Amino acid sequence: MEYLFDAFKEALNLLFNADESVISAIKTTLLSSSVSIILALAVGFPLGFCLGFFDFRLKSSLKLLVNTSLSFPTVAVGLIIYAFISSRGPLGEFGLLFTIKALILGQFILALPIIIALFSNLIENMDKKHFLLIKSFHLSPLRLVLTIIYELRFALISVIALAYGRIVAEVGVAMIVGGNIKYHTRTITTAISLETNKGEFERGIALALVLISIAFVLNFLIHSLKRD
């Protein structure tokens, strides 16, 4: 157990002394994850609302497709994205491979089905009496949508936290399309994997502490918002 204690102490030193490589991995993770979750929310909320609110012919097929995509291995997703953005792929001319933009694209694709699936389920499972009460106000379509979103705000926050936690902790896509380039596309998770393989256990623990701290902050915010 002594080496664990020493590693934990060294990890705290790296964090308090703002080790350059550790700070770079943290910044890259927060930047790519924050941008990708915002984009995923902008696209996923309208699609999830339509999928949960309206009845149409292909609804069950689309729900099956979205739910299936939730269980896709992240490595497989990374390989598919790699095939599209590599120099021989249809998007190769844009030079996305091994850039922050590729990280954002990969995390966006991972977060999108989570938001669509969970948001559509929230809409479908909304209390019928509550929904009929809202409809009785004869609101405009836009105000009706905004009112439903407001009523589901606490559950939506949990959906956002779940999606954000998934992409922050993701390693497969980040490794394949980001390339794990130091000071450029290296994220917290890819850095943990690399440093642990190199025997740099202290840096791995330092970065793991940051991941745990992010999860704690997210849950603390959710708890605070629900309490208010």
Side-chain angles (χ1 to χ4, degrees), residues 14-215:
L14 288 171
L15 289 174
F16 286 125
N17 293 325
D19 180 83
E20 191 175 0
S21 62
V22 173
I23 298 301
S24 173
I26 295 171
K27 286 181 178 178
T28 301
T29 300
L30 293 179
L31 173 63
S32 62
S33 301
S34 299
V35 173
S36 60
I37 196 68
I38 291 171
L39 294 176
L41 290 174
V43 177
F45 269 176
L47 294 178
F49 185 88
C50 291
L51 192 59
F53 190 79
F54 298 107
D55 290 321
F56 50 92
R57 187 177 178 183
L58 297 176
K59 179 173 180 175
S60 60
S61 299
L62 287 176
K63 284 185 70 70
L64 176 62
L65 179 64
V66 172
N67 290 333
T68 302
S69 63
L70 291 175
S71 58
F72 279 176
T74 59
V75 175
V77 174
L79 283 174
I80 294 171
I81 298 172
Y82 183 94
F84 274 86
I85 65 176
S86 66
S87 58
R88 293 183 294 175
L91 302 178
E93 60 182 290
F94 296 106
L96 296 174
L97 192 61
F98 303 148
T99 65
I100 293 288
K101 292 178 183 177
L103 280 177
I104 293 172
L105 176 63
Q107 291 173 332
F108 167 80
I109 292 174
L110 288 177
L112 187 61
I114 298 174
I115 293 170
I116 294 175
L118 297 185
F119 189 35
S120 63
N121 286 338
L122 285 177
I123 296 293
E124 284 182 333
N125 297 325
M126 188 175 180
D127 184 77
K128 299 302 180 187
K129 291 181 180 178
H130 195 179
F131 178 67
L132 291 174
L133 176 63
I134 295 175
K135 285 190 69 175
S136 68
F137 295 146
H138 302 293
L139 302 172
S140 66
L142 178 60
R143 292 195 64 183
L144 176 65
V145 172
L146 294 177
T147 303
I148 292 175
I149 291 176
Y150 179 78
E151 294 298 324
L152 296 172
R153 60 191 182 283
F154 296 131
L156 288 177
I157 292 171
S158 298
V159 171
I160 295 170
L162 181 64
Y164 193 77
R166 165 81 185 270
I167 60 177
V168 165
E170 191 282 326
V171 64
V173 171
M175 188 74 79
I176 293 174
V177 302
N180 196 25
I181 302 172
K182 192 174 184 180
Y183 302 129
H184 185 51
T185 59
R186 182 169 295 172
T187 63
I188 295 175
T189 52
T190 57
I192 289 174
S193 176
L194 178 70
E195 300 295 348
T196 303
N197 288 335
K198 287 164 52 183
E200 298 287 346
F201 200 49
E202 297 81 4
R203 290 180 183 275
I205 289 182
L207 291 162
L209 286 175
V210 174
L211 271 184
I212 294 170
S213 299
I214 291 173

